[in-house]
Amino acid sequence: MIPLQPPRRLIDVEVDGEAVRVPEGSTVLDACRTAGKDIPTLCYGDTLTPKNACRVCVVEVEGSRTLAPACSRKAEAGMVVGTDTARARHSRKVVLELLASSTDLSTTPMAKEWMADYGADPARFGEEAATVAQPPKVDNDLYVRDYGKCILCYKCVDACGEQWQNSFAISVAGRGFDATISTEFDVALTDSACVYCGNCVEVCPTGALSFKTEFDMRAEGTWDESEQTTTTTICSYCGVGCNLTLHVQDNKIVKVTSPHDNPVTHGNLCIKGRFGYGYV
Amino acid sequence: MDLHFGDAEPTAEERAAVDALLGPPVTAWEGGDRTEADLRSAARAEQARDRLLPALHAVNDRVGWISEGALAYICRRLTIPPAEAYGVASFYSLFSMEPRPARVLHVCTDLACLAKGVRDAGEGVASPCLGLCERAPAALALEAGLPPKATVYGGSPAADATPYTVERPEPPVADAVPQAGGQGLVLLRRVGVVDPASLDDYRANGGYQALRRAFELGPAGVIREVTEAGLVGRGGAAFPTGRKWDATARQPDQPHYLVCNADESEPGTFKDRVIMEGDPYALVEAMTIAAYATGCRKGYLYIRGEYPRATAALETAIRTARARGMLGADILGHGFAFDIELRKGAGAYICGEETAIFNSIEGYRGEPRTKPPFPVEKGLFGKPTVVNNVETLVNVLPILLTGGSDTKLFCVSGSVGRPGVYELPLGTPLRELLDLARPAGRLKAVLLGGAAGSFVTDLDVPLSFEGTRAAGATLGSGVVMVLDEEVDLPAFLVRIAAFFRDESCGQCVPCRVGTVRQEEALHRLGRRRSDEDLVLLREVGQTMRDASICGLGQTAWNAVESAIDRLGAFK
């Protein structure tokens, strides 16, 4: 189902020498994808307003002094975009190196492939290079916060705050390299405003936030996505009709997500839909 | 809003500090006593977010730190989620989220003080540049209480056994202006000549004539004069002021806001402090003119939290101007309404970035916003906003009176006999400025533009925006820091890198991690030369310049690059 929208004017953009037409208001990323160019993204979320904090999606826009974040820069008529120029590739490579040298990207989908593609070598910053490594925070039975894997993309904060849930349980605290995602005074989630909707886990791009089931199975070494099946169904708790995608391994539900293109949920659920599957 | 505030209660003192700013709470929803009436009204839905920074200051300045109870009470009063308020409070280095003594000594360990031999903060906490470079080495003691006290220390030998415990009066502001009272001064002509507290003195020395002329010209006429005079921004970016004003004035969206950027924090910069301390009414008048030209009824003057004397001078000036009809509903009887709200920063260099300053005023973390949209279109509270530096605004006065001055303020510090703020025509060769300031020792290099600037060795470079650009440097905020052969260049570069690492807001990866890697590589290079580390610096530097969101990350590698390329550092 596609929501009806007023017709939009089409504008012409040039991507890597190729002419593409996109509706006015599209981003450079939309234009690049229309042209069939794949650009890595991390902090970009299909259900959130881009924060453009990670800078892996930077592209070269003719006439611009600096590189532009494809995910949030609006395409303009006549714009000339280079997605694969030496400058853009260099920045992406170094950004990947900076991230991988400071953060555990082992559960970030595509990270390994991108690093190989761009020739990123995080080890060159030396063994003494500062990292954000820290023990995972396990303070409740539903989900785990492993901030050693956090790239500070702000997606969980936005999902918890005014873009979706309006719980405001977490925020970015501190500054610079010491900045972290935190509750007030870093209190445990059980003392915070958290309502355990799990929508922060849904949008986390690196696995820093994960369901307790997944976290425990990964620790045991039993987590195996190739062995999992997914079934999309409708939540039975209330009349809203949220879509649930049940991830099943060994005939057990191991996590629940929701399709991001669903017009009812946009990938969001409440605690019942997300965690209330014990009766199944 | 349905917010969760936790159980922590404020102490009586914390409550009093907040109530002194916001007034007593009206309902139990806001943290007052519970009454029958509370059940008949709901909690307020709107946040009073823009009061957050003043409220945090109120508690921190009175008690010395911000406890869980105090934060929860502030949040109740303003309808702000505690996690977000904590994120804001922990962003600023002058706020403490854990108990500490009421008196905190901030010892400047930044560039100008480092050049004067300061190695560490001793018994105090290390501070970025305090803007007291003409008195380096400098320190600032902030003592929480009612009222809070601030003591400025300058020029004291770091070796002194008890240098920072004795209170002593600050020297007069004219001491920071070696040319004070001399001929040819335009922007500084009243500094040291008038009594900064006296409006009458200001008016007797030409004050408020420019505003009268502005009223004669009308808003469009003022913008025309400013455009024709060719004034460009003095904060560092040199954007044409007339164009900025014109673009703001034309915006149909209302209201328009004026923001004066007095968050002067670039290491080595203290010109705005000297103007604000010595001639505060000039800034008030200039802001009034800017507001008149661009159609603003409200102006924010955002001053850095480390400027106690300038803050006091401006508080007096704004209060007096308001009482005498120079601010308020009907300025000088011309039917123009405008008022200024003074906002104190709390220790964050990044809040001087033109969009971070909006977030800070609005009560959010001082993180820069993505441009476009630009401030003239969507600025403070999402409305068209004109944001100008102090020196830029003050330049408008002579433009309206005599057609403009074409002079620039330079902050000279480091290894010179007469440090201070100098006013010289744009285009003056660096050599002439140094002749006035009398370098001591054998000159090695001059850092132009501060930590975000670059080193030059050619003393014939003309001090103009175009001239410095042609020489591959920048005038920036007017920093001219003189280094002699004695300077420990690697240590100096490490301090620059540490400054950017400390002051990065942490929003984007190139800056958040890149500034850390830059500092690490410089530490390694200080121990041993390595081609790999030089390549690494260059690659990380290029990425910070290309891919950072704002000017902080984009310029964080400038000075290091110029030291390697021009001074042969690590050769």
Side-chain angles (χ1 to χ4, degrees), chain B residues 317-484:
Chain B
I318 292 170
R319 196 173 52 241
T320 312
R322 201 178 285 141
R324 301 270 292 272
M326 303 300 192
L327 285 175
D330 183 14
I331 293 172
L332 288 174
H334 279 265
F336 172 61
F338 174 67
D339 213 333
I340 297 174
E341 186 175 336
L342 190 65
R343 278 302 176 89
K344 245 170 78 181
Y349 168 71
I350 190 59
C351 289
E353 200 274 345
E354 64 170 359
T355 56
I357 202 170
F358 303 151
N359 279 341
S360 183
I361 293 172
E362 289 179 26
Y364 293 88
R365 290 164 57 80
E367 293 168 353
R369 300 175 182 172
T370 305
K371 292 179 275 189
F374 290 93
V376 296
E377 203 183 321
K378 285 192 190 311
L380 187 62
F381 302 112
K383 297 296 179 183
T385 304
V386 55
V387 47
N388 282 131
N389 167 260
V390 173
E391 187 190 344
T392 315
L393 286 167
V394 173
N395 257 291
V396 171
L397 305 177
I399 286 176
L400 293 187
L401 292 176
T402 62
S405 67
D406 212 33
T407 57
K408 169 88 188 79
L409 300 182
F410 297 100
C411 315
V412 184
S413 62
S415 185
V416 290
R418 297 170 78 207
V421 177
Y422 288 81
E423 180 174 354
L424 291 173
L426 276 165
T428 305
L430 175 56
R431 189 183 299 280
E432 278 181 36
L433 174 58
L434 293 189
D435 287 345
L436 291 174
R438 299 185 197 141
R442 273 190 57 210
L443 185 112
K444 181 179 179 78
V446 176
L447 178 63
L448 281 187
S454 47
F455 292 95
V456 294
T457 47
D458 172 15
L459 298 187
D460 293 318
V461 57
L463 294 173
S464 63
F465 293 103
E466 307 78 23
T468 46
R469 201 176 304 135
T474 168
L475 221 44
S477 53
V479 173
V480 177
M481 198 177 290
V482 180
L483 304 181
D484 61 25

Side-chain angles (χ1 to χ4, degrees), chain A residues 51-53 55 65-67 87 90 93-94 101 124-125 130 151-152 154 168-169 171-172 174-176 185 191, chain B residues 4 68 81 83 87 90-91 347-348 365 367 370 502-505 507-509 512 517 520 539 543 546-547 549:
Chain A
K51 183 75 184 169
N52 62 75
R55 319 303 278 187
R65 184 174 50 88
T66 54
L67 300 175
R87 234 177 122 200
H90 172 80
K93 178 191 89 146
V94 175
S101 65
R124 70 190 182 121
F125 297 114
I151 59 163
L152 278 182
Y154 291 65
F168 303 98
S171 169
V172 180
R175 192 168 77 191
F185 289 91
D191 294 326
Chain B
H4 171 98
E68 273 187 72
S90 59
F91 186 83
R365 290 164 57 80
E367 293 168 353
T370 305
D502 272 339
E503 299 297 336
S504 167
C505 77
Q507 192 178 199
C508 68
V509 175
R512 180 178 78 230
R517 298 292 177 250
E520 288 170 349
E539 291 200 3
T543 303
D546 275 346
I549 292 178

